[in-house]
Amino acid sequence: QARVERMEQFQKEKEELDKGCRECKRRLAECQKKMKELELAEPDSGRGELEKLQAEAQQLRNEEKSWENKLEELRKKEKNMPWNVDTLSKDGFSKSVFNVKPEEKEETEEQKEKKHKTFVERYEKQIKHFGMLRRWDDSQKYLSDNPHLVCEETANYLVIWCIDLEVEEKHALMEQVAHQTIVMQFILELAKSLKVDPRACFRQFFTKIK
């Protein structure tokens, strides 16, 4: 929680600096425009006003430089930030074939249920195989071979399977499947926060978690 709060504060600071820099550039452009208009309209009579505008423009240039220096310092700080589960390389995802934004359109409960049922009928054996894996390398390889499993339907099936196993009092097996359930949910959450397809996340997730 503390790490997330620090990251949010960092992002807020970055946005404020961006906003300040943009506003300064806008004011400078406006000032330069007024100077040009004044030079064309009143070359001599408006000298006092022109000097005032020139001084203001110089002040704004200095201010602009200050904003840009602060932004540069922040970018350097961002590059040196330690990698963790919340800062998995965003750049790394850009090279993935699956780097597409998840669909925004809302599905009805009926559509979700139908989609889940169809998916389970088709891939139940593969989902169960993933649920039984113990090693990080095995999980990564299996998802690499079957990237279609990296989705909400797999996570939902694993949750239901965990409940069934607990009801059957198969506690050890339930704990094993629960571990894989959390792995899948974590990948989905990561994809959501980075606004990328879940299939673009899992390789980086396993690299870092190992």
Side-chain angles (χ1 to χ4, degrees), residues 43-60:
D44 297 316
S45 58
R47 192 174 298 280
E49 183 65 24
L50 187 62
E51 284 173 3
K52 189 181 168 187
L53 285 168
Q54 283 171 340
E56 189 185 336
Q58 187 54 50
Q59 192 181 334
L60 285 167

Side-chain angles (χ1 to χ4, degrees), residues 127 130-131 154-162 177 180-181 184:
I127 300 169
F130 174 75
T154 297
N156 291 342
Y157 181 90
L158 291 171
V159 169
I160 295 162
W161 191 18
C162 281
V177 176
Q180 294 298 87
T181 308
M184 185 57 66

Side-chain angles (χ1 to χ4, degrees), residues 34-83:
K34 281 180 186 174
M35 282 162 62
K36 196 169 276 187
E37 285 171 358
L38 204 62
E39 282 169 358
L40 292 169
E42 303 172 78
D44 297 316
S45 58
R47 192 174 298 280
E49 183 65 24
L50 187 62
E51 284 173 3
K52 189 181 168 187
L53 285 168
Q54 283 171 340
E56 189 185 336
Q58 187 54 50
Q59 192 181 334
L60 285 167
R61 282 191 203 98
N62 294 338
E63 197 181 319
E64 182 187 23
K65 196 174 180 181
S66 173
W67 282 114
E68 284 172 350
N69 287 340
K70 284 177 186 175
L71 267 170
E72 188 55 38
E73 277 175 32
L74 205 69
R75 286 190 193 107
K76 282 177 185 174
K77 192 177 170 184
E78 188 175 27
K79 279 182 184 177
N80 294 326
M81 278 173 80
W83 280 29

Side-chain angles (χ1 to χ4, degrees), residues 153-205:
E153 284 69 41
T154 297
N156 291 342
Y157 181 90
L158 291 171
V159 169
I160 295 162
W161 191 18
C162 281
I163 296 166
D164 290 342
L165 290 169
E166 188 63 20
V167 169
E168 292 164 20
E169 297 188 357
K170 295 177 180 174
H171 307 304
L173 187 56
M174 185 283 295
E175 284 178 14
Q176 163 56 34
V177 176
H179 177 272
Q180 294 298 87
T181 308
I182 291 165
V183 166
M184 185 57 66
Q185 287 175 332
F186 194 102
I187 292 167
L188 293 172
E189 281 301 310
L190 186 62
K192 197 174 173 183
S193 67
L194 296 174
K195 294 179 181 173
V196 294
D197 191 290
R199 292 168 293 177
C201 291
F202 72 88
R203 290 177 184 86
Q204 286 85 349
F205 164 74

Side-chain angles (χ1 to χ4, degrees), residues 102-154:
E103 287 181 25
E104 297 289 330
K105 95 181 157 178
E106 279 290 318
E107 292 177 319
T108 64
E109 285 303 313
E110 196 179 326
Q111 285 173 321
K112 284 180 184 175
E113 198 178 324
K114 191 178 177 184
K115 190 180 174 184
H116 179 78
K117 192 179 175 186
T118 308
F119 187 86
V120 168
E121 282 170 1
R122 192 170 179 185
Y123 300 117
E124 186 173 19
K125 194 176 174 183
Q126 291 180 0
I127 300 169
K128 284 196 166 185
H129 182 85
F130 174 75
M132 300 296 285
L133 296 173
R134 291 178 181 274
R135 296 175 64 246
W136 296 118
D137 288 336
D138 294 339
S139 292
Q140 183 180 352
K141 186 178 185 310
Y142 197 69
L143 291 181
S144 294
D145 294 340
N146 303 281
H148 53 274
L149 294 180
V150 190
C151 64
E152 200 75 45
E153 284 69 41
T154 297

